[in-house]
Every structure is written in C-alpha cells, then in structure tokens.
Amino acid sequence: MTVPSPEDEVDHLSPAQLRRVLWGGAIVSGLLVGAMVWSVSVAPQRMNQVMDEGTPLLASGEARRAELPSRAPEHPATPAPVRREAEVSPPSRLPGLLGLQLGYLRANEMFGTIAFGEVVRGTPAAKLVNLWATYCAPCVREIPMLRALSEGWRRDVRFVPIHVGEVQDRARYREFVDQMPIAAEEPLIDASGDAVQGLLRATGLLEPGEGIPITLLLDCRNELRWIHVGALENTVALTARLATLRGELGSPRCAPSEPAPVASTLPGCGDGSCEGPLETCATCPTDCGCTIVGQECRSILGEAPRCVFPESAFAKP
C-alpha cells in the first residue's frame, strides 16, 4: 500500500479548502505587517524614556523645553507695576548723571550724542526728568497728564524725557514726542536701556525689580529732590513738589554763582602798575583796568587790547 506524500495531498485539496488556506495566509501576513509598524512607532518613545531615566514622564517634556535657548527680547522687559515715591534728603546730585552721554534723534533722522549736563544747564529752573518708552503702556498714558500739567510751568520747569531702550519705530517715537509738554528739552535716548536706571540702583534709589515709568525732580542746582517709581495715578504729589522747587528759584540758593576771579600768571601783574610788556586791560585788569567812566576794554585788530570809548559815546544827542 502506497502512502500519499504531502505534495500529493495539496494537489488533491478541494477548492473550498484551498480558499481557506489562502485567507489564513493573508491574515497572518497582515498581522506581521501591523506588528512591524507598531514596533517602529513605539521604539523612539522607549528610547526617550531610557534617556530620561529617573525623570517622571510628565516632567520630562517640561525639562526638555527648559533646555531650549531663549531668544533675547526686542525691548527691555517692563517690570510689573510698582508705585513708590520718596523724598531725597539731603538733596544731592546723582553721581555720573550730568556727564552721562545720551543719544538724541536729529531732524535728518541721524543719531547724535550729548551729555545730560549740557541739556539741563542754563537759567536756573526745576527739571522734571521722565524715563519712558514707546513700548511701555503706563508711560504712554502719562503723556497727556504731563502735557496738561505743563500749561502753567512757563520757564520755571524744564521737561526732560529720556527714552529707555533703542528706538525701533522712529515714526511712532516722533508721534509720542510731539504730544509731550511744549517745554520739553531735546528728547534723549538711553539706547543701552539701563544707563540711568543703573545709576539709580547704584545709589539705592531704585529697588530690584522696579522699572519705568520713573519720574525724577531736580532742583535749580540739578540736585535730586524727589523720585516716583511706577505710573502716576494723578499729579497732586508732583504738583506740590514742583511748587516747592519753583518757590526756591528766587532764593539765594538758586542765585547764579559769580565766577571766581582768575589769578594772572603774568610777571608784574598785580603790582599796581601797568608797565609789563604783556600787560593790557584784558590780560591784567587789576593793573590796566579801564578807570575812565564810559571806557571799555577793546581789542583792535593789529594792536594790543586797550581802553577806548565805544562808538555810542560819540553819538549826537
């Protein structure tokens, strides 16, 4: 008796049996493909978990986000609103302020630099220094308030705005500057964003975390008298301080100091006689000063300075 081989059995499968075999093979193949796809998608997650060993799954994502380098802000950050005011006693000059070089925008849209002391020198007056910026909403809201307050300042108060940070939008900057008090001096720009505030922090007048808007009051001698940190809710306190500083303008404290006489180094100057070869009414006024009423020391081209009568003295009555 001959035993049929497996090949013979396959050849003798009925059509129904053959269809079942083909369907079974297709199902098995589909399962194998699905398993391969699943393994590929899961593998990277498993690798991340291995690399983050010891870190909870929910915290690992936050940790990775924290490691990403942060992009520098376009403008200096404006701290949370803090309102604080303080009298500065005794009055004193802020070290380094008068010599601080700040920028300004010329009419041709080119930047120039000027010392703060050059801006505030001149006729004795109170100075209101306002640290502001176009990107600072509280600063912008103060502008109409300060302009309305300035209507009664006359020449007694000089408004000195200093923009904190670079001016990115010059048209927007000019728009706000045009809305400031008419008594405004040349609007200044602290392009570093921290030059003036750094001086305030160095002297303990500005606390960590405090920032613009900041209002400073300088008296007729450019000494700091009052500081307000944060937005001005009203101008009551500011008006009172300005009234005090304006009342001092006629006092001896604000009287312009007379320049000290300069001692001459010319030989013979000061001996009471105008005989030295270089002694003139200009170089040695103590000996060669004009003693005749109506004369003045005049330098004539090609000659040494001497005392002469001005042309007005010869005018007909």
Side-chain angles (χ1 to χ4, degrees):
M1 176 176 165
T2 303
V3 179
S5 65
E7 290 81 0
D8 295 336
E9 291 182 356
V10 173
D11 293 339
H12 292 82
L13 291 175
S14 64
Q17 291 175 331
L18 185 58
R19 284 194 298 271
R20 284 195 295 270
V21 171
L22 293 175
W23 274 107
I27 293 173
V28 172
S29 299
L31 292 175
L32 290 175
V33 172
M36 292 176 64
V37 173
W38 176 85
S39 63
V40 171
S41 62
V42 172
Q45 298 180 9
R46 297 296 300 168
M47 288 297 295
N48 288 338
Q49 288 182 339
V50 172
M51 294 176 67
D52 292 334
E53 185 177 358
T55 303
L57 182 60
L58 293 178
S60 62
E62 297 176 359
R64 284 192 294 272
R65 284 193 296 271
E67 294 172 359
L68 295 176
S70 58
R71 185 169 62 90
E74 183 179 359
H75 299 292
T78 304
V82 176
R83 292 186 178 90
R84 180 178 62 84
E85 64 180 62
E87 300 281 352
V88 179
S89 182
S92 59
R93 290 189 176 181
L94 189 62
L97 178 61
L98 294 183
L100 188 63
Q101 292 288 329
L102 297 170
Y104 67 96
L105 195 59
R106 298 174 178 173
N108 58 2
E109 297 299 307
M110 296 294 291
F111 280 100
T113 58
I114 189 172
F116 180 85
E118 290 294 316
V119 176
V120 297
R121 73 175 184 173
T123 305
K127 292 91 179 177
L128 191 158
V129 181
N130 182 247
L131 304 185
W132 73 290
T134 56
Y135 58 84
C136 169
C139 304
V140 174
R141 287 196 296 267
E142 285 183 347
I143 294 177
M145 184 186 305
L146 293 173
R147 185 180 179 92
L149 180 63
S150 69
E151 293 179 357
W153 285 353
R154 298 192 300 277
R155 296 183 179 181
D156 296 343
V157 180
R158 299 165 67 181
F159 183 72
V160 186
I162 302 178
H163 186 278
V164 177
E166 295 184 3
V167 175
Q168 302 291 342
D169 188 339
R170 298 186 184 186
R172 180 176 172 84
Y173 171 76
R174 290 289 191 190
E175 179 184 351
F176 287 127
V177 167
D178 291 341
Q179 299 174 29
M180 288 181 174
I182 300 176
E185 300 295 331
E186 181 67 51
L188 301 175
I189 301 171
D190 178 4
S192 70
D194 197 51
V196 181
Q197 293 180 89
L199 296 179
L200 294 172
R201 280 193 296 271
T203 54
L205 293 171
L206 195 63
E207 300 293 336
E210 293 181 333
I212 59 175
I214 298 175
T215 302
L216 307 173
L217 289 187
L218 308 182
D219 61 16
C220 58
R221 301 172 64 172
N222 294 324
E223 295 181 348
L224 185 60
R225 302 286 291 272
W226 186 71
I227 179 174
H228 185 282
V229 181
L232 292 165
E233 292 184 322
N234 55 66
T235 58
V236 175
L238 179 59
T239 301
R241 268 72 179 184
L242 284 175
T244 300
L245 298 184
R246 295 175 70 181
E248 295 177 357
L249 295 178
S251 67
R253 186 175 189 278
C254 294
S257 58
E258 297 182 359
V262 179
S264 175
T265 57
L266 291 176
C269 186
D271 61 1
S273 63
C274 186
E275 298 178 352
L278 299 178
E279 291 183 49
T280 66
C281 59
T283 59
C284 186
T286 55
D287 293 346
C288 307
C290 302
T291 57
I292 301 178
V293 178
Q295 283 191 332
E296 60 184 26
C297 186
R298 184 77 61 83
S299 178
I300 301 176
L301 184 63
E303 301 180 10
R306 58 190 176 91
C307 295
V308 297
F309 285 101
E311 294 295 331
S312 59
F314 300 97
K316 294 181 179 181

